[in-house]
């Protein structure tokens, strides 16, 4: 009922049939759900990104920081989606951008807070401060990220293949998010450090 061939057949039948004809059955329902999900997914992602941006703008110390957070996490999401090619194919429901955004945002916040603390210890050496921040962040998030990965991998024992797909995709997403948090984000923070200082909230 949910195979690609069956859903393509439904689409072909709908092209032939006029507006007075309706195709029922489980395959028709699955096809409609898939079309709605794929159509509305970009809207959900934009809403989540905008709301996250607003919240972080209100709670962070600088106007530039939330943009760097979203760019870093966005890159991790793209890496995760691209790496799905190793699975051959995944369910359309496993477009997990919003979920990955929510799960990995904490890592970025922790890195920046640690960097701010280490800048006080090493006021004349931002690279050294960032080095300590990366080490502290990795130690702190390693345990929580492994727990999160294990939780998502537990979905792989579901009878439905959807559980396996979602578990693997999200487990990869968390690991890639951690890697980007300790590689991409620190580089971006160091590059834009002057802009961060200039745009601090009053």
């Amino acid at each position: 009922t949910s195979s690609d061939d069956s859903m393509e057949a439904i689409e072909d039948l709908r092209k032939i049939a006029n507006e007075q004809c309706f195709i029922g059955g489980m395959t028709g329902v699955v096809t409609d759900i898939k079309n709605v999900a794929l159509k509305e997914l970009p809207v959900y992602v934009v809403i989540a990104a905008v709301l996250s941006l607003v919240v972080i703008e209100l709670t962070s110390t600088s106007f530039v920081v939330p943009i760097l957070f979203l760019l870093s996490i966005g890159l991790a999401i793209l890496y995760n989606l691209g790496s799905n090619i190793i699975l051959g194919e995944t369910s359309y429901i496993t477009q997990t951008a919003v979920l990955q955004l929510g799960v990995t945002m904490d890592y970025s916040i922790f890195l920046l807070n640690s960097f701010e603390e280490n800048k006080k210890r090493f006021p004349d050496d931002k690279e050294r401060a960032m080095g300590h921040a990366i080490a502290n962040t990795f130690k702190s998030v390693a345990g929580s990220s492994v727990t999160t990965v294990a939780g998502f991998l537990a979905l792989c024992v579901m009878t439905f293949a959807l559980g396996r797909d979602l578990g693997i995709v999200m487990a990869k997403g968390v690991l890639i998010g951690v890697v980007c948090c300790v590689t991409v984000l620190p580089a971006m923070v160091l590059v834009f450090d002057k802009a961060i200082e200039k745009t601090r909230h009053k």
Side-chain angles (χ1 to χ4, degrees):
T1 57
S2 302
S3 70
D4 290 339
D5 290 339
S6 298
M7 289 192 280
E8 286 174 13
I10 292 290
E11 296 290 355
D12 291 340
L13 286 168
R14 284 176 173 168
K15 289 175 185 174
I16 296 169
N18 61 36
E19 293 180 359
Q20 301 300 317
C21 300
F22 298 94
I23 299 169
M26 198 62 202
T27 304
V29 172
V30 172
T31 303
D32 290 338
I33 292 171
K34 178 181 178 181
N35 291 338
V36 169
L38 293 178
K39 180 181 177 183
E40 295 184 354
L41 181 68
V43 177
Y44 302 149
V45 173
V46 170
I47 291 172
V50 169
L51 291 177
S52 298
L53 188 65
V54 169
V55 170
I56 303 170
E57 285 286 6
L58 294 173
T59 57
S60 69
T61 56
S62 169
F63 291 108
V64 175
V65 166
I67 297 168
L68 299 182
F69 281 2
L70 290 181
L71 286 175
S72 174
I73 294 170
L75 189 61
I77 290 170
L78 290 176
Y79 279 137
N80 191 28
L81 291 174
S83 66
N84 284 343
I85 195 170
I86 63 175
L87 301 174
E89 60 180 11
T90 59
S91 170
Y92 62 90
I93 298 175
T94 57
Q95 306 295 319
T96 54
V98 175
L99 187 56
Q100 189 175 343
L101 173 68
V103 169
T104 59
M105 179 64 77
D106 293 348
Y107 307 153
S108 303
I109 295 170
F110 195 92
L111 175 87
L112 190 72
N113 287 341
S114 182
F115 178 56
E116 294 294 335
E117 289 297 318
N118 280 287
K119 271 169 61 174
K120 295 173 184 175
R121 290 176 58 199
F122 311 104
D124 300 323
D125 194 346
K126 292 178 182 177
E127 284 78 8
R128 186 177 179 187
M130 182 58 79
H132 283 276
I134 291 169
N136 294 340
T137 301
F138 190 76
K139 288 176 189 175
S140 299
V141 305
S144 64
S145 62
V146 168
T147 305
T148 307
V149 167
F152 283 123
L153 288 178
L155 294 173
C156 295
V157 300
M158 282 178 62
T159 305
F160 295 110
L162 169 64
R164 185 201 64 220
D165 286 354
L166 189 60
I168 293 173
V169 170
M170 276 311 302
K172 283 194 302 96
V174 171
L175 292 175
I176 292 171
V178 171
V179 171
C180 284
C181 179
V182 296
T183 55
V184 176
L185 183 59
M188 293 171 70
V189 169
L190 287 174
V191 168
F192 293 100
D193 189 55
K194 290 182 180 178
I196 292 171
E197 293 295 335
K198 287 180 180 178
T199 58
R200 282 194 177 276
H201 297 177
K202 293 183 180 179

